[in-house]
Amino acid sequence: ECSDFDECLDLANACTPNSICINTIGSYRCGQCKVGYVGNQTAGCFPRKSCASLSFNPCDGNAHCVIQRNGDVTCACNVGWAGNGHTCGKDTDIDGYPDRSLPCMDNDKHCKQDNCVFTPNSGQEDADNDGIGDQCDEDADGDGIKNVE
Ligand SMILES: [Ca+2]
Ligand SMILES: [Ca+2]
Ligand SMILES: [Ca+2]
Ligand SMILES: [Ca+2]
């Protein structure tokens, strides 16, 4: 008499990790990824990115998690904070640029320091390129003569 052997219990990784294994009489089958995982038997099953999942929380403490229409998860800084969502810094004038430059400044312009910290200038215009935004540059065109004169 032959008895069935449960490959799902007795073989480590009979199916790709985190996928469903179904024992059958004399054999076994591999099914879909388990709930909360995406992928397939050949590519592997990986944790589904989710704002609710504790194992996947890439957002800054001052950011919130956003699920895009295509299922991607992104982070956005909360109101009063600016940055790329993974790193957020205080944004006093709420124009989307932080009061101080953030470590992500090489990759995202919204991590660069606001060139006019207390005046909203979401365009960061700086006609004379001296690093002081037009909105608070006493000599916006850099010709040596103050705006008021
Ligand atoms: Ca700002
Ligand atoms: Ca500003
Ligand atoms: Ca300037
Ligand atoms: Ca001037």
Side-chain angles (χ1 to χ4, degrees):
E1 189 178 323
C2 298
S3 55
D4 179 56
F5 164 75
D6 188 343
E7 290 85 352
C8 295
L9 287 179
D10 297 335
L11 288 182
N13 297 333
C15 297
T16 200
N18 303 313
S19 70
I20 294 167
C21 180
I22 304 143
N23 184 47
T24 59
I25 301 302
S27 185
Y28 69 102
R29 282 191 289 123
C30 294
Q32 296 173 328
C33 293
K34 287 180 181 168
V35 174
Y37 292 85
V38 285
N40 55 46
Q41 289 295 331
T42 35
C45 292
F46 304 97
R48 181 190 296 276
K49 289 180 178 178
S50 156
C51 291
S53 152
L54 291 173
S55 60
F56 182 79
N57 187 7
C59 300
D60 186 273
N62 294 302
H64 52 280
C65 190
V66 182
I67 296 187
Q68 306 289 329
R69 276 167 191 256
N70 65 5
D72 276 357
V73 174
T74 57
C75 303
C77 296
N78 294 333
V79 173
W81 297 81
N84 64 0
H86 304 287
T87 309
C88 300
K90 207 163 180 27
D91 176 15
T92 301
D93 59 6
I94 316 182
D95 62 0
Y97 288 85
D99 295 359
R100 294 198 183 138
S101 56
L102 303 173
C104 49
M105 61 181 288
D106 291 337
N107 305 318
D108 196 309
K109 66 175 185 170
H110 287 280
C111 295
K112 287 188 180 146
Q113 183 176 22
D114 193 337
N115 65 12
C116 195
V117 173
F118 301 110
T119 310
N121 57 330
S122 57
Q124 299 286 288
E125 295 86 354
D126 180 10
D128 59 359
N129 267 316
D130 65 352
I132 302 166
D134 290 351
Q135 294 290 336
C136 52
D137 192 342
E138 288 194 333
D139 175 14
D141 59 5
D143 66 354
I145 301 165
K146 290 186 176 180
N147 303 336
V148 286
E149 293 168 23

